[in-house]
PDB file of all heavy atoms in Angstrom:
ATOM      1  N   LEU O 522      30.295 -11.400 -29.172  1.00 98.00           N
ATOM      2  CA  LEU O 522      31.580 -11.668 -29.813  1.00 98.00           C
ATOM      3  C   LEU O 522      32.320 -10.338 -29.852  1.00 98.00           C
ATOM      4  O   LEU O 522      31.806  -9.359 -30.382  1.00 98.00           O
ATOM      5  CB  LEU O 522      31.268 -12.196 -31.223  1.00 98.00           C
ATOM      6  CG  LEU O 522      32.389 -12.692 -32.121  1.00 98.00           C
ATOM      7  CD1 LEU O 522      31.863 -13.733 -33.106  1.00 98.00           C
ATOM      8  CD2 LEU O 522      33.015 -11.546 -32.877  1.00 98.00           C
ATOM      9  N   VAL O 523      33.496 -10.298 -29.233  1.00 98.00           N
ATOM     10  CA  VAL O 523      34.202  -9.014 -29.129  1.00 98.00           C
ATOM     11  C   VAL O 523      35.602  -9.119 -29.737  1.00 98.00           C
ATOM     12  O   VAL O 523      36.468  -9.819 -29.201  1.00 98.00           O
ATOM     13  CB  VAL O 523      34.310  -8.562 -27.653  1.00 98.00           C
ATOM     14  CG1 VAL O 523      35.111  -7.268 -27.540  1.00 98.00           C
ATOM     15  CG2 VAL O 523      32.926  -8.383 -27.039  1.00 98.00           C
ATOM     16  N   PRO O 524      35.828  -8.433 -30.873  1.00 98.00           N
ATOM     17  CA  PRO O 524      37.187  -8.412 -31.434  1.00 98.00           C
ATOM     18  C   PRO O 524      38.024  -7.331 -30.766  1.00 98.00           C
ATOM     19  O   PRO O 524      37.513  -6.266 -30.420  1.00 98.00           O
ATOM     20  CB  PRO O 524      36.948  -8.058 -32.912  1.00 98.00           C
ATOM     21  CG  PRO O 524      35.590  -7.437 -32.978  1.00 98.00           C
ATOM     22  CD  PRO O 524      34.866  -7.674 -31.693  1.00 98.00           C
ATOM     23  N   THR O 525      39.300  -7.636 -30.570  1.00 98.00           N
ATOM     24  CA  THR O 525      40.236  -6.639 -30.043  1.00 98.00           C
ATOM     25  C   THR O 525      41.279  -6.381 -31.115  1.00 98.00           C
ATOM     26  O   THR O 525      41.819  -7.341 -31.663  1.00 98.00           O
ATOM     27  CB  THR O 525      40.940  -7.178 -28.783  1.00 98.00           C
ATOM     28  OG1 THR O 525      39.943  -7.516 -27.824  1.00 98.00           O
ATOM     29  CG2 THR O 525      41.900  -6.154 -28.190  1.00 98.00           C
ATOM     30  N   PRO O 526      41.577  -5.168 -31.496  1.00 98.00           N
ATOM     31  CA  PRO O 526      41.045  -3.931 -30.917  1.00 98.00           C
ATOM     32  C   PRO O 526      39.692  -3.529 -31.484  1.00 98.00           C
ATOM     33  O   PRO O 526      39.064  -2.631 -30.936  1.00 98.00           O
ATOM     34  CB  PRO O 526      42.116  -2.903 -31.298  1.00 98.00           C
ATOM     35  CG  PRO O 526      42.680  -3.412 -32.592  1.00 98.00           C
ATOM     36  CD  PRO O 526      42.633  -4.917 -32.495  1.00 98.00           C
ATOM     37  N   GLY O 527      39.216  -4.124 -32.576  1.00 98.00           N
ATOM     38  CA  GLY O 527      37.887  -3.790 -33.075  1.00 98.00           C
ATOM     39  C   GLY O 527      37.877  -2.590 -33.995  1.00 98.00           C
ATOM     40  O   GLY O 527      37.137  -1.630 -33.748  1.00 98.00           O
ATOM     41  N   GLY O 528      38.692  -2.626 -35.050  1.00 98.00           N
ATOM     42  CA  GLY O 528      38.708  -1.542 -36.047  1.00 98.00           C
ATOM     43  C   GLY O 528      38.359  -2.099 -37.414  1.00 98.00           C
ATOM     44  O   GLY O 528      38.729  -3.229 -37.743  1.00 98.00           O
ATOM     45  N   THR O 529      37.654  -1.299 -38.221  1.00 98.00           N
ATOM     46  CA  THR O 529      37.248  -1.773 -39.554  1.00 98.00           C
ATOM     47  C   THR O 529      38.465  -2.119 -40.405  1.00 98.00           C
ATOM     48  O   THR O 529      38.442  -3.065 -41.185  1.00 98.00           O
ATOM     49  CB  THR O 529      36.412  -0.675 -40.247  1.00 98.00           C
ATOM     50  OG1 THR O 529      35.347  -0.334 -39.366  1.00 98.00           O
ATOM     51  CG2 THR O 529      35.839  -1.128 -41.577  1.00 98.00           C
ATOM     52  N   ASN O 530      39.534  -1.345 -40.280  1.00 98.00           N
ATOM     53  CA  ASN O 530      40.724  -1.573 -41.108  1.00 98.00           C
ATOM     54  C   ASN O 530      41.839  -2.279 -40.338  1.00 98.00           C
ATOM     55  O   ASN O 530      43.012  -2.108 -40.636  1.00 98.00           O
ATOM     56  CB  ASN O 530      41.214  -0.241 -41.682  1.00 98.00           C
ATOM     57  CG  ASN O 530      41.508   0.768 -40.581  1.00 98.00           C
ATOM     58  OD1 ASN O 530      41.153   0.541 -39.416  1.00 98.00           O
ATOM     59  ND2 ASN O 530      42.157   1.865 -40.935  1.00 98.00           N
ATOM     60  N   VAL O 531      41.434  -3.061 -39.325  1.00 98.00           N
ATOM     61  CA  VAL O 531      42.414  -3.755 -38.481  1.00 98.00           C
ATOM     62  C   VAL O 531      42.083  -5.248 -38.411  1.00 98.00           C
ATOM     63  O   VAL O 531      40.950  -5.610 -38.079  1.00 98.00           O
ATOM     64  CB  VAL O 531      42.396  -3.184 -37.035  1.00 98.00           C
ATOM     65  CG1 VAL O 531      43.444  -3.873 -36.175  1.00 98.00           C
ATOM     66  CG2 VAL O 531      42.608  -1.676 -37.047  1.00 98.00           C
ATOM     67  N   ILE O 532      43.063  -6.096 -38.730  1.00 99.00           N
ATOM     68  CA  ILE O 532      42.895  -7.530 -38.466  1.00 99.00           C
ATOM     69  C   ILE O 532      43.014  -7.691 -36.957  1.00 99.00           C
ATOM     70  O   ILE O 532      43.994  -7.239 -36.343  1.00 99.00           O
ATOM     71  CB  ILE O 532      43.990  -8.350 -39.183  1.00 99.00           C
ATOM     72  CG1 ILE O 532      43.872  -8.176 -40.703  1.00 99.00           C
ATOM     73  CG2 ILE O 532      43.903  -9.820 -38.782  1.00 99.00           C
ATOM     74  CD1 ILE O 532      45.091  -8.659 -41.469  1.00 99.00           C
ATOM     75  N   ALA O 533      42.000  -8.312 -36.353  1.00 99.00           N
ATOM     76  CA  ALA O 533      41.992  -8.418 -34.881  1.00 99.00           C
ATOM     77  C   ALA O 533      43.171  -9.246 -34.386  1.00 99.00           C
ATOM     78  O   ALA O 533      43.633 -10.161 -35.070  1.00 99.00           O
ATOM     79  CB  ALA O 533      40.685  -9.057 -34.424  1.00 99.00           C
ATOM     80  N   SER O 534      43.645  -8.914 -33.201  1.00 99.00           N
ATOM     81  CA  SER O 534      44.678  -9.745 -32.570  1.00 99.00           C
ATOM     82  C   SER O 534      44.027 -10.792 -31.665  1.00 99.00           C
ATOM     83  O   SER O 534      44.622 -11.806 -31.335  1.00 99.00           O
ATOM     84  CB  SER O 534      45.629  -8.869 -31.745  1.00 99.00           C
ATOM     85  OG  SER O 534      44.889  -8.143 -30.782  1.00 99.00           O
ATOM     86  N   ARG O 535      42.779 -10.525 -31.304  1.00 98.00           N
ATOM     87  CA  ARG O 535      42.081 -11.425 -30.373  1.00 98.00           C
ATOM     88  C   ARG O 535      40.577 -11.288 -30.603  1.00 98.00           C
ATOM     89  O   ARG O 535      40.078 -10.192 -30.877  1.00 98.00           O
ATOM     90  CB  ARG O 535      42.449 -10.997 -28.949  1.00 98.00           C
ATOM     91  CG  ARG O 535      41.694 -11.682 -27.856  1.00 98.00           C
ATOM     92  CD  ARG O 535      41.980 -10.975 -26.523  1.00 98.00           C
ATOM     93  NE  ARG O 535      41.172 -11.558 -25.496  1.00 98.00           N
ATOM     94  CZ  ARG O 535      41.650 -12.240 -24.449  1.00 98.00           C
ATOM     95  NH1 ARG O 535      42.947 -12.388 -24.289  1.00 98.00           N
ATOM     96  NH2 ARG O 535      40.840 -12.762 -23.566  1.00 98.00           N
ATOM     97  N   VAL O 536      39.888 -12.404 -30.487  1.00 99.00           N
ATOM     98  CA  VAL O 536      38.421 -12.356 -30.529  1.00 99.00           C
ATOM     99  C   VAL O 536      37.893 -13.206 -29.376  1.00 99.00           C
ATOM    100  O   VAL O 536      38.239 -14.382 -29.248  1.00 99.00           O
ATOM    101  CB  VAL O 536      37.855 -12.883 -31.869  1.00 99.00           C
ATOM    102  CG1 VAL O 536      36.328 -12.880 -31.847  1.00 99.00           C
ATOM    103  CG2 VAL O 536      38.355 -12.034 -33.034  1.00 99.00           C
TER     104      VAL O 536
END
Side-chain angles (χ1 to χ4, degrees):
L522 185 153
V523 177
T525 302
T529 306
N530 57 349
V531 182
I532 297 166
S534 57
R535 172 190 175 115
V536 177

